[in-house]
Amino acid sequence: MGLDDESREYHRQEPPGKLEISTTKPTNTQRDLSLAYSPGVAAPCLDIAEDVSLAYEYTAKGNMVGVVSNGSAVLGLGDIGAQASKPVMEGKGVLFKRFADIDVFDIELDTDDPEKMIESVAMMEPTFGGINLEDIKAPECFTIEERLRKEMNIPVFHDDQHGTAIISGAALLNALEIAEKDISDINVVFSGAGASAIATARFYVSLGAKKENITMCDSSGIITEQRAEAGEVNQYKRQFARDIPEGDLADAMEGADVFVGLSVAGIVSQEMVRSMANDPVIFAMANPDPEITYEDAKEARQDTVIMATGRSDYPNQVNNVLGFPFIFRGALDVRASEINEEMKVAAAEALARLARQDVPDAVVKAYGDQPIQFGPDYIIPKPVDPRVLFEVAPAVAKAAVTSGVARNEIDINRYVEKLEARLGKSREMMRVVLNKARSDPMRVALAEGTEEKMVRAAYQLVEQGIAEPILIGDADAITRTARTLGLEFDPTIADPTNEGQWDHYANRLYELRRRKGLSRSEASHLIQRDTNYFGSVMVDSGDADAMLTGLTHHYPSALRPPLQVIGTAEDTDYVAGVYMLTFKNRVIFCADTTVNFDPDAKMLAEITKHASDLARRFNVEPRAALLSYSNFGSVDNQSTRESREAVQLLHDDPEVDFPVDGEMQADTAVVEEILTGTYANFELKEPANVLVFPNLEAGNIAYKLLQRLGGAEAIGPMLVGMDKPVHVLQRGDEVKDIVNLASVAVVDAQGRE
């Protein structure tokens, strides 16, 4: 099946299309319905009649964007009409929701009359918090947007004009940094003089380019003052008419620093590229085929050619999805009256800054596991980079406030936390821990310090002020890796191979293990050759506050050295592995998922206490349930008796200050109707958020099923019960997982201080 047929099948699958409406409030009872509609809905209606701003509090207006088109300039398809444009507009709605959690109604207006479009859209202002104009041909699109911006008191944004301008503007800032050129000195040539090209040229001027250094070409050649005076160009092209001799695109490109293509495929030759200035910047953005192919542009020159296209199969894709969702997110959240030039510049600068940062593993994996770092082949972030929301939306919101078009002021730091909560509960929960960690960064030993992921994690921990990482391993190898990755930081390194420097560590290990059959020479060998033993002794000796390991080891072999050296906490006999699973509106902690095969009652009670303490580090008040296939004695055997006995031990323990009950089935523990309806007389009055499994097999199976089939995000495993903070990663974890667990370790160490 070809791509076209596959797409047809994708769109026609039940239910047809790509969008649906879902409710956000309970509608299960008569009471719910009376609140949602008549008679209860009258109260907010009357309030809004008195104060229209309350529509943002009582309705979805503040998170609702209208995507409006008449289908007159759809993608590369041209004027296909309003009805045929609907799949594209639905797709736009999908992108708004997927990347910025913005709800959309797509509106297709069957008219080519600009006045009718203006009138129709303006009348919809009560419905929406913003309007995204889409796929409207030039020059009508200029008139429609300009008029609507004046007549409406909500943001109106024509993405075809400004989206490409903002994204390519970000790419331009970084390309010029690499080429070591000043934006005020560059000569820019445009191929194409439609809505997108004119808006992009205007935006480059906002970024610092000089208008007199911009040469624009349409299908008839260079737009000159002579042509303008002869009436050959419209009023929008006329603003970029230059007092230079007439000529074609080849003439314009000679000596140019930057080429911007928003025209047709194959219009630029290698000879034209060779005529440009040194280290040229070429943005060939015609879709689906660029003005010159990536390969031809690169082959045309011996110096550095910085190339961008609109295609995803080449480096530096100029993709509007990097802009509009996040620009609207920032604008909506401060209730901006418009999206002005200051907000657009802020978005471009935020994107440019982000491209200079280390790239998350998830993004690297999405692009074939090829190295991605700032340079000629990476000057703008990838469209799937989740950090774009947290960089662009706050920058836009701040610019709206500063420029005076915001009707709400926000605390930027708190705002980032709200944005993270939109993308999932796990980000919201980790933000709690990250903020705690930043308040007092601690020393974290990274046992596998020569691993690229560990080096990148160390860089992020330093950059974000989360911890003071200590990379354990060969110093030359670590320094080389950091340099290769382009990470500009001076890592703290502990090199075990330095002869004689770590004799006191070998002595300490020998002291701890000599009665376990370890000789002094064997202790010295382990310190020099096994970074897990080295890191464990480092923490035991107080030279580090916490330790992470396990990235390249099996879990048991990574856990063994810290257990032998550091051991369990005082009055604690057992350690356990806990996963935090986050759902859309719920968080649960699952224990034990990684360590104890068949725990008895005492072990289960201890694991419950440790897991509940961990929940509190995430600002979650624990409600614990010991799980079984039995409900409160309905089945009596050795397994169920262990859980019941553990509950009794916890009830008798004066230090246990949280509700705990069991044994109970999993649905009893987490479904409120079962818990409070059938078993209302027991200790848990609300669904449990700490689930303790009867054995390792059950715990491991359950958390993986919840993660894979239940859509939960998993953070962990977090090791509890150790005398000092130690966490064992899962083999192959990503950099973000290392940073998250390091943050948990820092907070753990803070608590112990």
Side-chain angles (χ1 to χ4, degrees):
M1 185 183 291
L3 180 63
D4 288 348
D5 288 337
E6 191 175 346
S7 179
R8 291 184 181 104
E9 186 61 30
Y10 171 86
H11 282 81
R12 69 161 60 99
Q13 286 175 358
E14 289 293 333
K18 299 186 287 284
L19 298 174
E20 68 177 5
I21 296 173
S22 62
T23 59
T24 59
K25 299 293 188 297
T27 56
N28 300 319
T29 67
Q30 181 184 1
R31 181 68 173 170
D32 292 338
L33 295 176
S34 68
L35 293 172
Y37 197 54
S38 179
V41 75
C45 289
L46 292 172
D47 289 350
I48 295 171
E50 291 289 326
D51 180 359
V52 292
S53 68
L54 291 176
Y56 287 93
E57 294 183 25
Y58 290 150
T59 76
K61 177 183 173 77
N63 196 51
M64 180 71 69
V65 166
V67 173
V68 182
S69 180
N70 65 355
S72 59
V74 178
L75 299 176
L77 306 175
D79 188 352
I80 61 175
Q83 191 70 77
S85 75
K86 189 172 178 64
V88 178
M89 302 312 126
E90 282 190 353
K92 195 81 171 189
V94 169
L95 298 178
F96 266 109
K97 188 66 176 178
R98 161 65 177 81
F99 289 102
D101 193 30
I102 292 172
D103 297 315
V104 161
F105 281 130
D106 58 291
I107 309 291
E108 292 77 32
L109 297 174
D110 191 11
T111 179
D112 289 327
D113 185 338
E115 291 300 323
K116 288 183 178 179
M117 280 205 74
I118 292 166
E119 182 181 10
S120 299
V121 175
M123 287 192 294
M124 291 189 288
E125 182 168 343
T127 303
F128 297 110
I131 298 292
N132 182 99
L133 299 174
E134 191 76 16
D135 293 348
I136 303 169
K137 68 180 181 180
E140 290 90 336
C141 61
F142 294 111
T143 302
I144 292 168
E145 187 194 44
E146 287 171 5
R147 287 270 303 280
L148 287 174
R149 287 187 64 186
K150 291 177 182 177
E151 295 182 19
M152 301 182 78
N153 202 30
I154 58 174
V156 177
F157 184 83
H158 184 209
D159 188 43
D160 301 301
Q161 288 186 56
H162 309 298
T164 300
I166 292 166
I167 313 310
S168 69
L172 179 67
L173 294 175
N174 280 338
L176 295 178
E177 179 174 314
I178 293 167
E180 298 182 351
K181 296 183 179 182
D182 191 302
I183 193 169
S184 63
D185 296 332
I186 59 169
N187 289 304
V188 185
V189 172
F190 278 81
S191 174
S196 184
I198 291 169
T200 301
R202 287 174 174 172
F203 188 66
Y204 286 7
V205 173
S206 297
L207 291 176
K210 292 181 179 176
K211 190 175 178 181
E212 59 268 26
N213 290 343
I214 295 175
T215 303
M216 187 170 287
C217 301
D218 60 12
S219 57
S220 299
I222 298 172
I223 297 173
T224 62
E225 288 189 359
Q226 182 178 350
R227 288 183 61 200
E229 289 169 1
E232 296 178 19
V233 295
N234 63 40
Q235 59 177 318
Y236 300 104
K237 295 181 182 181
R238 192 174 300 132
Q239 62 188 295
F240 288 100
R242 292 192 62 187
D243 187 14
I244 57 175
E246 293 189 9
D248 58 16
L249 180 60
D251 298 320
M253 287 182 66
E254 189 170 346
D257 298 284
V258 178
F259 168 80
V260 180
L262 291 159
S263 53
V264 295
I267 200 171
V268 174
S269 67
Q270 287 187 317
E271 187 59 39
M272 293 159 75
V273 172
R274 283 191 282 269
S275 75
M276 296 178 70
N278 64 295
D279 299 327
V281 177
I282 298 175
F283 294 166
M285 297 179 287
N287 263 326
D289 298 311
E291 285 79 2
I292 182 171
T293 67
Y294 180 85
E295 294 84 357
D296 285 351
K298 288 285 190 178
E299 289 172 3
R301 308 276 300 227
Q302 295 300 311
D303 57 358
T304 301
V305 176
I306 302 174
M307 176 84 171
T309 70
R311 295 177 60 124
S312 61
D313 51 351
Y314 291 112
N316 302 323
Q317 182 190 15
V318 178
N319 190 325
N320 286 15
V321 78
L322 282 167
F324 67 85
F326 316 108
I327 293 167
F328 268 100
R329 180 77 274 159
L332 291 174
D333 289 339
V334 294
R335 296 188 195 172
S337 58
E338 64 174 333
I339 295 172
N340 59 24
E341 204 68 12
E342 291 90 339
M343 295 160 73
K344 290 183 282 185
V345 169
E349 291 175 343
L351 285 169
R353 286 193 300 271
L354 181 58
R356 299 167 200 162
Q357 299 176 20
D358 187 43
V359 181
D361 287 340
V363 177
V364 176
K365 284 182 179 179
Y367 287 85
D369 282 324
Q370 296 301 311
I372 301 175
Q373 62 187 80
F374 182 63
D377 287 337
Y378 179 65
I379 56 175
I380 39 177
K382 299 293 186 182
V384 298
D385 194 327
R387 301 171 301 167
V388 177
L389 175 65
F390 312 123
E391 296 291 334
V392 175
V396 170
K398 187 175 180 180
V401 172
T402 303
S403 62
V405 298
R407 286 169 287 199
N408 272 356
E409 292 202 14
I410 57 172
D411 180 324
I412 290 294
N413 293 324
R414 295 285 299 278
Y415 179 50
V416 172
E417 294 177 16
K418 286 181 62 178
L419 291 174
E420 290 193 322
R422 282 187 175 277
L423 285 197
K425 200 73 175 173
S426 63
R427 289 182 174 273
E428 181 183 358
M429 301 305 297
M430 277 311 306
R431 177 59 57 180
V432 172
V433 173
L434 290 168
N435 287 341
K436 287 182 180 179
R438 289 192 183 100
S439 69
D440 183 18
M442 311 294 274
R443 300 164 300 171
V444 179
L446 304 178
E448 296 144 304
T450 57
E451 291 295 314
E452 178 185 310
K453 289 180 180 179
M454 284 295 194
V455 177
R456 290 171 55 206
Y459 172 75
Q460 291 189 23
L461 290 168
V462 171
E463 283 291 292
Q464 298 177 39
I466 294 168
E468 298 172 12
I470 303 168
L471 291 163
I472 302 173
D474 181 86
D476 291 338
I478 292 170
T479 303
R480 252 192 329 271
T481 299
R483 190 181 305 119
T484 300
L485 293 171
L487 304 178
E488 297 181 3
F489 80 124
D490 187 16
T492 300
I493 300 172
D495 189 340
T497 63
N498 289 341
E499 290 288 340
Q501 184 175 350
W502 307 109
D503 282 348
H504 58 298
Y505 280 9
N507 292 336
R508 176 58 177 161
L509 181 58
Y510 173 61
E511 178 187 336
L512 291 169
R513 303 295 297 171
R514 64 180 180 171
R515 304 297 291 184
K516 302 292 184 181
L518 188 73
S519 69
R520 175 61 177 76
S521 62
E522 288 171 332
S524 180
H525 179 81
L526 285 174
I527 289 298
Q528 292 181 33
R529 302 299 177 192
D530 192 325
T531 56
N532 284 327
Y533 278 101
F534 186 98
S536 299
V537 177
M538 174 174 271
V539 173
D540 176 75
S541 303
D543 294 333
D545 303 300
M547 170 183 165
L548 260 62
T549 185
L551 190 64
T552 60
H553 295 79
H554 289 292
Y555 197 90
S557 61
L559 180 57
R560 190 175 302 112
L563 274 177
Q564 291 177 352
V565 175
I566 297 170
T568 60
E570 187 178 353
D571 299 327
T572 297
D573 296 318
Y574 311 102
V575 298
V578 182
Y579 268 95
M580 182 176 74
L581 299 181
T582 61
F583 301 84
K584 186 173 183 180
N585 295 309
R586 178 179 290 191
V587 176
I588 62 172
F589 295 82
C590 295
D592 173 21
T593 56
T594 59
V595 180
N596 300 289
F597 287 99
D598 194 16
D600 60 20
K602 183 182 177 184
M603 294 170 71
L604 288 171
E606 202 168 276
I607 290 167
T608 304
K609 291 170 65 176
H610 292 323
S612 298
D613 288 341
L614 178 65
R616 282 180 166 151
R617 287 183 221 150
F618 286 87
N619 287 358
V620 174
E621 275 304 308
R623 301 184 300 273
L626 279 79
L627 301 184
S628 176
Y629 66 98
S630 166
N631 271 322
F632 307 107
S634 63
V635 176
D636 186 34
N637 58 31
Q638 182 60 35
S639 174
T640 61
R641 282 195 293 272
E642 295 288 3
S643 295
R644 283 200 296 275
E645 186 180 338
V647 170
Q648 190 59 52
L649 290 172
L650 290 162
H651 285 173
D652 293 341
D653 189 337
E655 293 182 357
V656 174
D657 59 350
F658 54 87
V660 54
D661 219 327
E663 86 286 11
M664 66 178 72
Q665 294 180 3
D667 56 350
T668 303
V670 299
V671 178
E672 186 166 6
E673 289 81 2
I674 300 175
L675 182 68
T676 61
T678 309
Y679 301 102
N681 294 324
F682 292 89
E683 185 161 335
L684 284 180
K685 305 302 181 187
E686 297 179 69
N689 52 27
V690 175
L691 305 181
V692 181
F693 293 88
N695 54 53
L696 181 60
E697 190 173 24
N700 196 270
I701 291 170
Y703 100 78
K704 289 187 175 180
L705 282 174
L706 287 169
Q707 181 185 10
R708 300 300 180 184
L709 300 182
E713 291 190 52
I715 294 175
M718 294 171 274
L719 201 60
V720 295
M722 294 292 293
D723 191 40
K724 294 187 177 182
V726 175
H727 291 290
V728 180
L729 298 154
Q730 294 281 16
R731 294 180 73 186
D733 269 351
E734 297 181 1
V735 172
K736 70 178 179 64
D737 300 313
I738 302 171
V739 172
N740 284 344
L741 274 185
S743 305
V744 172
V746 168
V747 173
D748 192 354
Q750 292 170 348
R752 292 167 193 260
E753 274 201 335

